[in-house]
Structure formats: C-alpha cells, structure tokens
Amino acid sequence: MVVYDGKAVFEGIAIGKIYVYTKQEQSVKRVKVDDCEAEKKRYEKARETAMEQLQALYDKALKEVGESGAEIFEAHQFLVEDGDFIDSVENIIDTEGVNAEYAVATTGDNFFKMFSEMEDEYFRGRATDIKDITERLLNVLSGASGGGIASDEPVIVVADDLAPSETVQMDKDLILSFVTVHGSANSHTSILAKTMSIPALIGCPVPLSDEVNGCLAVVDGYEGKLYVEPDEDVLTAKKALLQKEEEKKNLLNQLKGKENITLDGQKINLYANIGNTKDLGLVLQNDAGGIGLFRSEFIYLGSDHYPTEEEQFAIYKQVAQTLAGKKVIIRTLDIGADKQADYFELPKEENPAMGLRAIRICLTRPEVFKTQLRAILRASAFGKISIMLPMIISVGEVKKIKAIVDEVKKELDADGLGYDQNIELGIMIETPAAVMVADELAEEVDFFSVGTNDLTQYTLAIDRQNQSLDEFYDSHHPAIMRMLQMIADAAHRHGAWAGICGELGADLSLTKEFLAMGYDELSVSPGRILPIRKTVLETNVAEYKKETGR
Ligand code: PEP
Ligand code: MG
C-alpha cells in the first residue's frame, strides 16, 4: 500500500481502479513499422477525414457567424493539405520506419517551432493553427474523439490538472473521483466534483504512470488521502465508511418534498447549479426547486465549433421541459480566463482573469451573443427560463445588453417565433464595481445572483486558479460578508430578488447568516440541497439575529 496526501475539495469515499489521464499530446508513442506504405495510406485517410470535419465546421460557422468566423476552418484545410507538411510526415515515416502518429506529432512540433520563431506577426499567429490541425490529425489517427476516458467501468481519474475543456469531454458516469497533482480548490474541476458529489483531491503528488494506472485505490475525501493498493484493514474500514455515507444519504432523502422554511416561517429557494444536461438527473434526485445557474459555456467548451442556434435551442428546451415549469436560470456565455475554446481564438493575455472574458466577449462579438440569446428566448416558450449575465461591472453594460435582447425579441417577432414576453433578466454580482453600484443595477434588473468565487477573487486580489494561494483565499473575509449584506439590501430596496450561486452558497456554516441577511435563494451543487434544507428547517432566524446582536 502507498498513501499520498492531497487537499480534499469534496468529502466522501471512492473505491475503484485508477485511470491515469494524460493529455492527448503526451500520449503519442513512437512505434516501428514494417509497412511504411500502409502508414502513409493511414495518414492520407486521416487527412481526408480531417478535411471533411473541417468542411462541416466551415459550413456551420458560415451559417452561424458569417464569413469572418468561418475563415479559420478554411485556413486549417489549407494547412492539412500543405505540401511541405505532407512531405515532412511522409519523409519521417519512410526514413525512420515509424507510425503515422509519431511522424505527424514530430512534424507538428517542428512546424510549430518554426512558425513561432518567425519575424512576421501573421506567420507567428499561424503556429497555434499548426497545433490545432496536428491534434485533429492525431485524434483521427487514434480514433479518439479528443479526450475522454477509455474504460468500461467507473474509475478514479488521476491527472496532472484538468482544464474545463477536458472534463467536459469525459463521460461522467465513469468517474468515481478526481485526483489531481495540481489545480486549485476554486478551479472548475473542484466545482465539477461538487456538482457530481464525488470526492476529489488536489495537490496530490501521485505519479502519473503505469506504477498506479489500473491499481485498486481508495480516495478519502475526509482525510485528503489516496490509498493505492490499500491493505485489507484500510479497505474494510473505508468500505464501512462508504456504507455509513449511504445511510446518511438515505436519512437526507426523507427531506425530499419538504418546503425550505425556517422554524419561524422564513422561506428560501434552494436551486441547483449545473454545467450540462447530464446533471439534470441529479437536480431532480436532490429535489431542487429549480436551476439557479446553468453554466452555458460548457456547451461551447464541449464543441469544436460555435454551437448553432438550433443546437443550443435543443439543449435549453430540454432543460426547460425537464424542469417542468420550475425556474431555469441560464447564465450566458462565460468563456475566457480558465475556460478556453480554441475556435474563439482568444488573444493570449497577461492577466486572463482580468481580460477578455464573459460579457466582454458577448459585447465585442454580438453575433455570437445574439445566437445564444435567440436560442434561450425560443426555449423560454417551453418552461420558465431566466437570463443571467456574468461579470457585469456597470449600468451601461446592462443597458447595452437590454437593447440587444430587445433587438433579438423583435427579430423573433418578425420570424413568428414564440418566447416568454416577461422573461426575467438578472445579473451576477462578481465584481467589487457591481457591489458599489448595486442600487443603480437593481433598478435595471429582476434579480442579482452573487458569484462568490469571482467576487472573492477580485475583492481579495487572489487568483482563484492559483493553488499556492489557497491559504489566503478567505471566503469568509469580513469584506465579503459585508458586501453580501449590501447586495441583498440593494436588491430589496428596488424590488429585485437576491441569491447566491457561487460556492459559498453551499457553505453550511453560513446558511443561518444568509437567511439573516435576507437572501431569497441559494443555488448550489445538487448534492448540497438536502443538507442545506436540513439546516434551514432547524433554524430560527429571529433567535439567530438576537444571538448575533442584529
Ligand atoms: C462565481 O464566480 O461564483 C460563479 C458562480 O461563476 P463561475 O464559478 O462559473 O465563474
Ligand atoms: Mg464567475
């Protein structure tokens, strides 16, 4: 048995085999081949498939975002068919007698370096395109869809770190737990673990090799430990703990169907945060009153092209219909910073968290934003949808967006397409600026939902992705607590409602505090709903206020 220490980001016990996830680009092996002609044929076939994929992407993008957005796929086609690239790959296969994957990866690396070092800015910019087409060709050659878990039983996923674009491609039914060597407690991998209610460890120095791959292991999300090849004693003890967890869950299940009401009659809505439609089962199982945060950018991260209006409409409609009249708050595209999709071709930035992200992208690429708004509005005819805007810093932004929403509504009217005329529009409060102008903002919108993950990051000036700063990331900081009270008060002064959808909303040690502050809603990982309901049912807000001297 070998034991590794990590930092637990979600409690619980997982027992299963380890699956070491390595990034696609690292997994190319050099294999000697006898039949070089056959390898060249494989490469030729892979080129044909890549060309077809790129043509399909070009056609979709052309319809969706016009010529300027589609050009990139045409450029990639030229690169796939580039004579120098092809010659180099074939030459490596012939001279070294190696597999096509290795020849493509080597050529890709060489060309990437060559382009990156060019004087001309245009050619330097093509380096990332080389990387893209290399990955595409490698995916086609290996038959991979790009990422994912190659296992037919649920596993403990062990990785160096996981980007949202990687987790989005994983089949969630196959994941018992996440263990990463790097990553921060506030990263999206941690959020995903919470959404799925599975134990997860970060900062765990486990080797990413065959030494652990396939081994039986236990993740203890209480102690923050990973046991590889556990002793009989440890295994028995952990199995018993797992059994206890099940019993606890059964007790909580008895709270299903109950109202979220305190002993002195104060009500609160408990909604769920989701990233995609696969989470809907958890929403219903945990008896959520609605969806308070649908992170719609995961649709974009899971796609290799701008999702079309129809693709998005189908997803939003499914969510609205499944929730059958319960509220579904769709957060508009929050891409950028740690959430990158290649086809957006976002500029490399010194400070991505403070860069071109979220609503700033929507305002600078209105055609992408309008496509999403059309899809959301059309889906609003099939349930109770609200629109929520991330990363707002000013009243001017909200006014601009409201004008765009009105424009889209008019277009839908002209097209004879139905939507909810009274659809709610709200904003996330994630920046100190939004807190300071909360009164003015509240006059413009129907609701506020506090994104405490980003609000803490921007208030404390601590990068939420930086693992080495976790000890300074104090989400209970008095500055945050005072802001939360200011936000709820400002909303209520202007007839708007206030909720919290950041991770802090699920902090059971603050549930009473949030009730005392007057919050109307908490939107949390589905697995947190019943534990919070239990606390709400046991709370007397008037007494708590007296105790805390309010
Ligand atoms: C937040 O910032 O608190 C939030 C809910 O948004 P995200 O975590 O997706 O940035
Ligand atoms: Mg945020």
Side-chain angles (χ1 to χ4, degrees):
M1 175 172 84
V2 189
V3 188
Y4 298 95
D5 286 303
K7 182 172 184 312
V9 289
F10 197 77
E11 73 272 26
I13 302 286
I15 303 175
K17 282 194 185 148
I18 288 183
Y19 178 89
V20 174
Y21 175 89
T22 43
K23 298 193 192 296
Q24 206 93 39
E25 56 220 358
Q26 295 165 355
S27 62
V28 175
K29 290 208 171 72
R30 186 175 191 275
V31 180
K32 275 270 179 205
V33 295
D34 295 329
D35 190 348
C36 292
E37 287 312 310
E39 281 310 291
K40 286 195 274 185
K41 270 259 156 322
R42 280 184 65 226
Y43 171 47
E44 192 186 325
K45 272 220 93 40
R47 282 204 318 268
E48 279 167 21
T49 309
M51 290 298 279
E52 284 162 17
Q53 290 178 347
L54 288 164
Q55 188 58 45
L57 290 175
Y58 176 85
D59 293 343
K60 264 186 184 159
L62 189 64
K63 254 195 258 151
E64 201 51 43
V65 287
E67 184 66 39
S68 62
E71 269 169 6
I72 179 68
F73 301 116
E74 205 174 36
H76 282 193
Q77 284 185 319
F78 282 124
L79 286 174
V80 169
E81 289 293 272
D82 178 79
D84 292 335
F85 197 97
I86 296 174
D87 285 349
S88 167
V89 174
E90 294 191 338
N91 188 44
I92 292 174
I93 295 176
D94 279 333
T95 55
E96 297 190 38
V98 287
N99 54 328
E101 285 89 338
Y102 178 78
V104 167
T106 307
T107 303
D109 278 352
N110 292 341
F111 275 56
F112 178 78
K113 279 191 206 119
M114 179 175 77
F115 276 89
S116 320
E117 286 161 6
M118 283 186 179
E119 291 267 309
D120 187 302
E121 199 183 331
Y122 172 80
F123 284 112
R124 273 206 312 278
R126 300 281 66 78
T128 48
D129 297 333
I130 292 283
K131 215 172 178 173
D132 270 12
I133 63 128
T134 305
E135 264 168 33
R136 182 172 298 282
L137 286 166
L138 289 173
N139 282 344
V140 175
L141 279 166
S142 67
S145 56
I149 298 170
S151 167
D152 43 20
E153 61 177 307
V155 288
I156 295 168
V157 176
V158 172
D160 181 51
D161 195 3
L162 291 164
S165 55
E166 291 171 308
T167 54
V168 77
Q169 298 184 45
M170 292 179 175
D171 178 352
K172 308 296 179 293
D173 294 337
L174 288 177
I175 305 171
L176 293 171
S177 167
F178 288 116
V179 177
T180 61
V181 178
H182 297 105
S184 90
N186 307 294
S187 67
H188 277 272
T189 308
S190 308
I191 292 174
L192 179 63
K194 290 174 195 171
T195 305
M196 294 169 68
S197 300
I198 55 171
L201 307 182
I202 57 165
C204 187
V206 54
L208 302 170
S209 65
D210 286 347
E211 209 178 304
V212 298
N213 198 24
C215 292
L216 179 70
V218 174
V219 177
D220 186 328
Y222 300 103
E223 293 182 322
K225 286 194 189 311
L226 170 71
Y227 298 84
V228 180
E229 303 278 5
D231 292 346
E232 215 35 59
D233 290 356
V234 171
L235 195 59
T236 313
K238 300 302 171 189
K239 278 186 178 162
L241 252 176
L242 195 59
Q243 168 89 22
K244 262 207 186 132
E245 274 193 344
E246 286 302 317
E247 285 162 12
K248 217 159 89 189
K249 260 188 220 154
N250 289 342
L251 270 179
L252 284 173
N253 276 342
Q254 293 171 10
L255 298 181
K256 283 188 189 170
K258 296 214 159 117
E259 208 179 358
N260 308 308
I261 184 163
T262 64
L263 291 169
D264 52 342
Q266 185 173 322
K267 290 183 192 169
I268 188 160
N269 289 319
L270 296 181
Y271 293 166
N273 293 348
I274 66 164
N276 60 52
T277 50
K278 287 210 185 113
D279 300 333
L280 287 174
L282 292 171
V283 173
L284 300 182
Q285 266 165 39
N286 288 286
D287 200 25
I291 291 172
L293 169 62
F294 178 4
R295 290 183 161 96
S296 71
E297 61 275 8
F298 279 87
I299 301 171
Y300 294 72
L301 292 174
S303 174
D304 57 4
H305 58 273
Y306 287 105
T308 63
E309 178 181 327
E310 289 311 317
E311 284 168 343
Q312 293 190 61
F313 168 63
I315 294 168
Y316 303 144
K317 180 179 163 190
Q318 183 196 344
V319 178
Q321 285 181 328
T322 308
L323 268 285
K326 288 180 183 162
K327 196 172 283 200
V328 176
I329 302 177
I330 300 177
R331 194 248 312 265
T332 57
L333 182 59
D334 184 12
I335 212 110
D338 61 320
K339 290 179 259 182
Q340 294 284 342
D342 292 347
Y343 56 90
F344 271 82
E345 299 201 302
L346 296 175
K348 268 243 159 305
E349 296 173 310
E350 284 286 320
N351 281 308
M354 295 196 184
L356 185 62
R357 61 170 289 200
I359 207 70
R360 298 169 191 172
I361 294 182
C362 294
L363 285 170
T364 47
R365 301 186 187 188
E367 60 306 343
V368 175
F369 190 36
K370 281 173 86 175
T371 302
Q372 179 172 39
L373 288 174
R374 274 181 73 96
I376 296 176
L377 280 164
R378 284 174 56 199
S380 72
F382 298 87
K384 195 160 171 41
I385 287 181
S386 309
I387 299 173
M388 179 160 78
L389 311 166
M391 286 293 294
I392 291 294
I393 56 167
S394 73
V395 174
E397 279 174 344
V398 177
K399 286 192 169 154
K400 269 190 207 151
I401 289 158
K402 281 168 82 173
I404 297 175
V405 173
D406 284 344
E407 229 176 88
V408 173
K409 282 181 178 174
K410 281 202 191 97
E411 283 172 22
L412 291 176
D413 288 337
D415 295 344
L417 293 165
Y419 58 90
D420 175 5
Q421 306 273 349
N422 300 313
I423 190 164
E424 264 193 339
L425 181 85
I427 58 170
M428 292 187 73
I429 304 285
E430 301 187 275
T431 62
V435 180
M436 297 314 289
V437 295
D439 274 291
E440 290 88 332
L441 288 168
E443 280 183 9
E444 294 293 329
V445 298
D446 299 306
F447 67 93
F448 285 166
S449 187
V450 191
T452 50
N453 311 335
D454 277 317
L455 184 59
T456 310
Q457 151 164 275
Y458 296 123
T459 304
L460 304 186
I462 292 177
D463 177 0
R464 63 190 268 197
Q465 294 294 117
N466 188 338
Q467 180 191 355
S468 59
L469 295 176
D470 278 356
E471 65 175 301
F472 297 103
Y473 188 96
D474 174 13
S475 51
H476 289 212
H477 193 291
I480 305 294
M481 292 301 124
R482 281 182 214 167
M483 282 180 164
L484 283 166
Q485 184 68 72
M486 287 164 70
I487 295 163
D489 290 346
H492 293 153
R493 269 194 293 276
H494 301 277
W497 62 263
I500 300 174
C501 63
E503 294 308 302
L504 199 66
D507 188 331
L508 284 168
S509 71
L510 291 174
T511 307
K512 288 182 179 171
E513 191 60 31
F514 296 147
L515 284 161
M517 286 179 179
Y519 272 90
D520 306 285
E521 178 241 26
L522 298 175
S523 188
V524 297
S525 311
R528 286 294 192 207
I529 288 174
L530 295 174
I532 298 179
R533 177 171 297 164
K534 183 168 179 288
T535 307
V536 170
L537 289 167
E538 292 164 358
T539 298
N540 184 318
V541 184
E543 263 176 28
Y544 176 78
K545 282 184 175 168
K546 239 190 258 158
E547 274 167 31
T548 51
R550 280 184 169 88

